[in-house]
Amino acid sequence: VQLQASGGGSVQAGGSLTLSCVASGDIFRVNSMGWYRQTPENQRELVAAITRSGKTNYEDFAKGRFTISRDNAKNSVYLRMDSLKPEDTAVYYCHADIMRSANYEYEYWGQGTLVTVSS
């Protein structure tokens, strides 16, 4: 099973980016999916998460600016980021809880995609 993230890049403050992540491989079902971010100075932190049924959870800094969504048919999760700020600069990682059979769930991480916001 792999998580492949894409969509990072450089943008000016106030701009927007959309991150995408797709899970592939031997998958029975993808449960919760989410996005985390990490800077060299900080620990990896949650940005937003979404359950299979579509219930979302955002950290305070993401509320009102970021939107997480998913497509269960495509085993994909997305993060639309608007009104980006320089402090949003980080490596963004997608995360998923994936069942490879009816009985076992495993945690997976994508490779990370760099988002750079300039002032």
Side-chain angles (χ1 to χ4, degrees):
V1 174
Q2 289 186 329
L3 292 180
Q4 182 69 43
S6 61
S10 297
V11 64
Q12 288 191 326
S16 299
L17 281 175
T18 297
L19 306 182
S20 301
C21 179
V22 59
S24 62
D26 185 17
I27 297 172
F28 175 76
R29 187 174 69 203
V30 181
N31 291 331
S32 180
M33 304 185 83
W35 291 93
Y36 288 71
R37 69 184 188 182
Q38 186 169 19
T39 65
E41 299 81 19
N42 299 319
Q43 291 183 331
R44 191 172 296 187
E45 63 179 353
L46 175 68
V47 177
I50 184 168
T51 66
R52 183 172 179 82
S53 63
K55 182 177 179 180
T56 58
N57 176 47
Y58 296 91
E59 286 300 289
D60 286 344
F61 63 80
K63 291 178 180 177
R65 298 190 300 126
F66 296 0
T67 303
I68 190 169
S69 61
R70 64 186 289 169
D71 184 333
N72 290 334
K74 296 180 179 179
N75 289 333
S76 295
V77 63
Y78 310 95
L79 185 69
R80 167 77 178 187
M81 302 184 292
D82 296 314
S83 302
L84 283 162
K85 304 174 182 180
E87 51 263 43
D88 293 318
T89 296
V91 177
Y92 285 71
Y93 296 90
C94 63
H95 171 272
D97 294 319
I98 297 175
M99 298 183 72
R100 297 182 62 181
S101 70
N103 299 314
Y104 297 99
E105 181 182 86
Y106 300 90
E107 185 177 30
Y108 291 92
W109 292 90
Q111 83 282 12
T113 185
L114 177 62
V115 172
T116 303
V117 184
S118 59
S119 58

